[in-house]
Amino acid sequence: MLNPVASDPHESEGKSSVLHQKRISNRPGRLNLASDSALKKLNQQNKPNHLAGAGLEEALGFVACLPMLNGLPMGVTLINGQGLILQANQQARVLLAGSSKDLSGSHLSELLPMGHIEILKAAHSKRQAAGLILPELPNCFIQLTPIAEYDSGAVLCFFDNRLWKPYLGNSAAIDPLTPYISRFIESSPDGITIIDRHGIMIKVNQAAAGFVGVKRSKLEGQHVSYLITKNLVDSILSLDVLRTGQPVSKVVENRRSGKKVLCTASPIFNNGGEIDLVILNERDINSIVCQRQKPEKRFKKIEDFTPLPGDEVSDSGKQDLVADSQAMAAVLGTATILAHHDVSHVLVCGESGTGKSLLARYIHSNSRRADQPFMHINCAALPEPLLEAELFGYDKGAFTGSDPIGKAGLLETAGSGTLFLDEIGEMPLSIQAKLLTFLDTMEFRRIGSGRVLKAKCAVISATNQDLDALVTAKEFRQDLSFRLKVFSLTIPPLRKRPEDVAHLAKVALDKFNAIYHTNRTIDPLGWDILTAYQYPGNVRELFNIIQQAVLLSDKKSIGTFLKNTLLKTEEGLKIKLESPSGAPKASLGSAVPPILDEAKCELERNALRQAIAKSRNTRDIASYLGISQASVSRKLRKYGLDSPGARNKSIAGKPN
């Protein structure tokens, strides 16, 4: 609430002077509030209408400080919630009215016919606004500080660019388009995301939020790794740009909807040559295809899209890792964060065949070291003397049979890149001590040399063993274990992430079809067996199974081959499918198979259930199973199964 000021300019100036004198204390330079009796006396005077409801004490404070505010190199104005000017210093009067006349009681709309609306919106939002530029004052930028207790009033500070430019240089120049930039971004049909130098999404327009299917309020303020952690996209271009400083273009797929967009990420540099922002532009590939093709070919499949000359689509960041499951997506999200921050020591744990080396390469490829060497050594593959020589190198004459000129170890040849120590649990204790010294000091010595060398490489270690158990058994150093576990990632086994099996199988099928020039497919029987199998050998075993089936199957579809081979194994005998009649589960690997018709119904029903779980509609089911949409509808009715759309509606209709 604000204090009344006389409506007459001369009377206002007189009272301001009197009040100012009354508020001067005996101590020089100190301003104190007037006595309560004086305030009450003034409050009993006639209040101008434009100050109705204003607080007396606060207005007195502003008036008393006015001579001091007149000395500031900026305009300062106090307004109430209706846009009436309560007081303004000398500079504000000149900027707003072109003269030094008193503006008390004037409405902003009289002085700023177009810009007053923006100011009132900002004041009523009760949030501070900086950098406002109004059409009437193109050479000024405005800072607004709302004051909630002043009836939605605010203090406005006007900074004249012409006055500040000699001190700030060209950085103070104001682009007349600045007030409209946010509107341009929001109205763009392309998705636009602005990321700061730390990887934080600071601006996301509606089109970009629509692509990932998340409200932009949940995206803004998040690190870009959030998109991987929540399994929304298959790659993040902005991290590549922050790492390399170069623009990157790539086709990115939404993992939930399957929608593909052409993304281009470009860096914005400051005057010091450092990246301040990354601008990410996303365009729906369907719209690009429609623009480039004749009308009769506008509905060509996305898979057939081929970039035209000049459309450089980079493979930067492309990985063989699959993370359709939440468990694997969380691991990949954490790995992305570690890569972005260039963490130098990471431990990757997981069973044999889960893809630890792929994850190590993913971290390297998405870090600032991506253009440096990636050196890989298996600690279990070499005897102790050779392993030490390979890691640390040796000088000439270090041992019998050594190279006469000596040899650099992997720590040296890795340079500023990454050294991947696979199966570190098998490393001998003597070498573990030297490795710990290196991790602590980044210094080492070649075998046979007293010269201390330094290395800048990152070290990623991997093991399929329990390091704590090895420590207990005195087979692994506890201090080294603590050092390695500072940043640790554990890849879940494939049996605990069945959502990834179908995608991995498709990747493997495409890979081996290309290698052996075949055109094998996976029929419903094959899908059923692949998703039910437990994979004790994890991803490596899945790829081996697909490779064997592609090469040796005598039919185009590999389902029969998988049944005749995989189900004969110990794990295969455990695969059971549900009977269509609801009878107890029967094993496909048992000696007495079910009746042929019953087995067929059993497989079809199970395949449909699996497809429904992974699809949004009958079109997705048809694509998943390789049959027509009409056939899908008939089979759903035959087995009494609900389509994904009907299931979602029933769930949405349930009361909370």
Side-chain angles (χ1 to χ4, degrees):
M1 303 296 293
L2 295 166
N3 182 44
V5 179
S7 58
D8 182 74
H10 300 291
E11 184 181 354
S12 173
E13 291 178 1
K15 286 191 176 182
S16 297
S17 177
V18 171
L19 290 173
H20 178 59
Q21 293 173 4
K22 286 185 178 182
R23 291 166 57 94
I24 297 177
S25 69
N26 295 328
R27 296 169 60 185
R30 292 289 302 274
L31 292 177
N32 297 322
L33 290 176
S35 65
D36 291 340
S37 59
L39 292 176
K40 291 178 181 178
K41 183 178 180 180
L42 286 172
N43 198 29
Q44 293 172 355
Q45 298 176 3
N46 295 329
K47 272 187 188 176
N49 292 332
H50 70 278
L51 293 177
L56 177 63
E57 185 174 329
E58 288 81 359
L60 285 173
F62 191 95
V63 172
C65 294
L66 191 58
M68 180 177 64
L69 295 178
N70 285 334
L72 295 177
M74 68 190 73
V76 181
T77 302
L78 183 65
I79 64 171
N80 69 5
Q82 289 72 45
L84 293 174
I85 296 176
L86 305 180
Q87 195 53 267
N89 72 348
Q90 182 72 22
Q91 287 73 20
R93 297 173 187 177
V94 173
L95 286 171
L96 293 173
S99 67
S100 59
K101 69 175 183 178
D102 186 14
L103 298 179
S104 300
S106 302
H107 197 277
L108 281 177
S109 60
E110 303 171 13
L111 305 169
L112 304 171
M114 293 184 288
H116 76 283
I117 297 176
E118 286 292 326
I119 291 179
L120 290 179
K121 283 182 180 179
H124 291 162
S125 71
K126 299 182 180 180
R127 295 181 180 177
Q128 189 173 40
L132 292 175
I133 300 178
L134 306 180
E136 296 87 350
L137 300 172
N139 292 316
C140 290
F141 58 94
I142 303 167
Q143 177 168 319
L144 180 147
T145 303
I147 308 176
E149 60 269 25
Y150 290 6
D151 189 23
S152 297
V155 175
L156 306 178
C157 293
F158 298 84
F159 297 87
D160 190 339
N161 177 55
R162 294 164 295 184
L163 177 63
W164 289 84
K165 189 171 182 179
Y167 304 98
L168 301 180
N170 292 331
S171 61
I174 296 178
D175 191 332
L177 296 178
T178 300
Y180 307 100
I181 290 179
S182 293
R183 300 178 191 176
F184 292 160
I185 293 174
E186 191 54 43
S187 63
S188 172
D190 292 349
I192 298 177
T193 303
I194 302 177
I195 301 101
D196 68 12
R197 66 174 66 186
H198 305 295
I200 304 299
M201 295 178 282
I202 59 176
K203 178 69 176 177
V204 181
N205 74 348
Q206 191 59 44
F211 165 60
V212 296
V214 178
K215 292 182 179 180
R216 58 179 173 181
S217 60
K218 292 186 177 181
L219 296 175
E220 292 178 345
Q222 294 277 5
H223 191 273
V224 289
S225 60
Y226 173 86
L227 302 174
I228 288 286
T229 304
K230 295 299 181 181
N231 201 24
L232 298 174
V233 296
D234 60 355
S235 60
I236 300 178
L237 274 64
S238 54
L239 293 181
D240 292 335
V241 176
L242 289 172
R243 173 175 49 81
T244 65
Q246 299 295 324
V248 177
S249 295
K250 184 185 177 182
V251 175
V252 175
E253 180 178 2
N254 185 314
R255 282 176 168 160
R256 293 184 179 177
S257 66
K259 186 177 181 180
K260 296 182 179 180
V261 296
L262 179 62
C263 295
T264 301
S266 305
I268 302 296
F269 297 94
N270 58 25
N271 293 334
E274 300 174 334
I275 296 179
D276 266 349
L277 300 171
V278 175
I279 309 298
L280 181 66
N281 180 273
E282 302 163 334
R283 176 168 294 186
D284 187 355
I285 288 183
N286 278 327
S287 65
I288 301 175
V289 174
C290 290
Q291 292 173 7
R292 292 176 174 172
Q293 295 176 339
K294 295 180 179 179
E296 62 271 15
K297 294 184 179 180
R298 284 189 175 180
F299 299 100
K300 189 177 181 181
K301 291 182 178 179
I302 290 178
E303 287 78 4
D304 297 331
F305 168 72
T306 303
L308 294 178
D311 291 343
E312 299 178 2
V313 180
S314 170
D315 289 332
S316 176
K318 184 177 180 182
Q319 302 294 337
D320 295 327
L321 287 169
V322 170
D324 291 340
S325 64
Q326 288 294 333
M328 192 62 192
V331 173
L332 206 58
T334 304
T336 303
I337 295 175
L338 297 180
H340 175 56
H341 291 285
D342 199 24
V343 174
S344 58
H345 305 141
V346 180
L347 175 65
V348 182
C349 303
E351 295 181 5
S352 179
T354 51
K356 297 185 291 295
S357 61
L358 286 177
L359 186 61
R361 287 188 178 274
Y362 176 87
I363 295 172
H364 171 76
S365 299
N366 287 276
S367 71
R368 296 182 179 89
R369 306 173 187 269
D371 55 348
Q372 299 296 321
F374 179 87
M375 311 303 296
H376 179 186
I377 185 170
N378 191 314
C379 300
L382 296 174
E384 180 177 347
L386 289 182
L387 178 60
E388 184 179 9
E390 285 295 317
L391 282 177
F392 301 100
Y394 56 86
D395 270 2
K396 60 181 180 179
F399 53 86
T400 304
S402 62
D403 192 310
I405 62 173
K407 180 182 177 181
L410 294 179
L411 291 175
E412 289 182 72
T413 55
S416 297
T418 302
L419 174 61
F420 177 49
L421 301 176
D422 200 2
E423 304 298 346
I424 195 170
E426 302 291 340
M427 179 178 285
L429 287 169
S430 60
I431 302 180
Q432 290 179 29
K434 295 187 67 173
L435 177 63
L436 177 62
T437 301
F438 169 72
L439 295 178
D440 287 337
T441 64
M442 301 305 288
E443 297 177 348
F444 67 98
R445 291 184 177 90
R446 286 185 179 184
I447 298 174
S449 172
R451 185 163 54 100
V452 176
L453 301 176
K454 285 186 173 290
K456 300 179 181 179
C457 64
V459 177
I460 301 178
S461 308
T463 182
N464 60 4
Q465 302 184 64
D466 184 351
L467 291 187
D468 291 336
L470 293 178
V471 170
T472 303
K474 306 296 183 182
E475 296 177 2
F476 201 85
R477 293 179 62 100
Q478 188 177 42
D479 48 5
L480 179 58
S481 174
F482 290 151
R483 190 70 175 84
L484 294 175
K485 287 182 177 180
V486 175
F487 294 104
S488 178
L489 299 170
T490 300
I491 303 178
L494 190 55
R495 63 182 175 276
K496 293 186 179 180
R497 48 185 180 111
E499 302 92 336
D500 294 338
V501 171
H503 194 161
L504 286 166
K506 185 66 167 58
V507 170
L509 186 69
D510 293 342
K511 174 181 178 179
F512 294 118
N513 271 334
I515 291 175
Y516 299 120
H517 305 288
T518 56
N519 190 26
R520 305 290 189 215
T521 60
I522 304 177
D523 54 9
L525 174 61
W527 282 120
D528 198 60
I529 294 172
L530 288 173
T531 53
Y533 190 67
Q534 292 298 295
Y535 300 100
N538 293 295
V539 179
R540 183 184 293 117
E541 183 180 10
L542 172 59
F543 271 64
N544 291 342
I545 289 170
I546 299 295
Q547 182 180 18
Q548 186 181 32
V550 167
L551 192 60
L552 301 179
S553 176
D554 56 359
K555 296 180 180 180
K556 182 178 179 180
S557 297
I558 64 175
T560 303
F561 178 87
L562 294 175
K563 179 181 177 181
N564 294 335
T565 56
L566 194 60
L567 295 182
K568 294 179 181 178
T569 65
E570 182 179 352
E571 286 294 329
L573 291 173
K574 300 177 184 178
I575 298 178
K576 295 175 182 278
L577 299 175
E578 184 179 346
S579 170
S581 60
K585 294 180 179 179
S587 171
L588 285 180
S590 60
V592 182
I595 300 173
L596 182 60
D597 288 342
E598 185 178 347
K600 180 179 178 181
C601 293
E602 186 179 12
L603 291 173
E604 282 191 347
R605 180 193 292 267
N606 208 39
L608 283 168
R609 283 177 174 169
Q610 177 186 333
I612 290 171
K614 297 178 177 293
S615 305
R616 296 176 302 159
N617 48 46
T618 54
R619 186 183 298 106
D620 291 346
I621 296 175
S623 175
Y624 183 82
L625 296 177
I627 59 178
S628 67
Q629 193 173 358
S631 297
V632 170
S633 300
R634 286 196 299 269
K635 291 181 184 297
L636 290 176
R637 289 194 297 269
K638 175 181 177 181
Y639 297 113
L641 300 174
D642 291 332
S643 65
R647 182 187 60 193
N648 293 337
K649 288 181 181 178
S650 66
I651 294 174
K654 290 182 179 180
N656 293 328

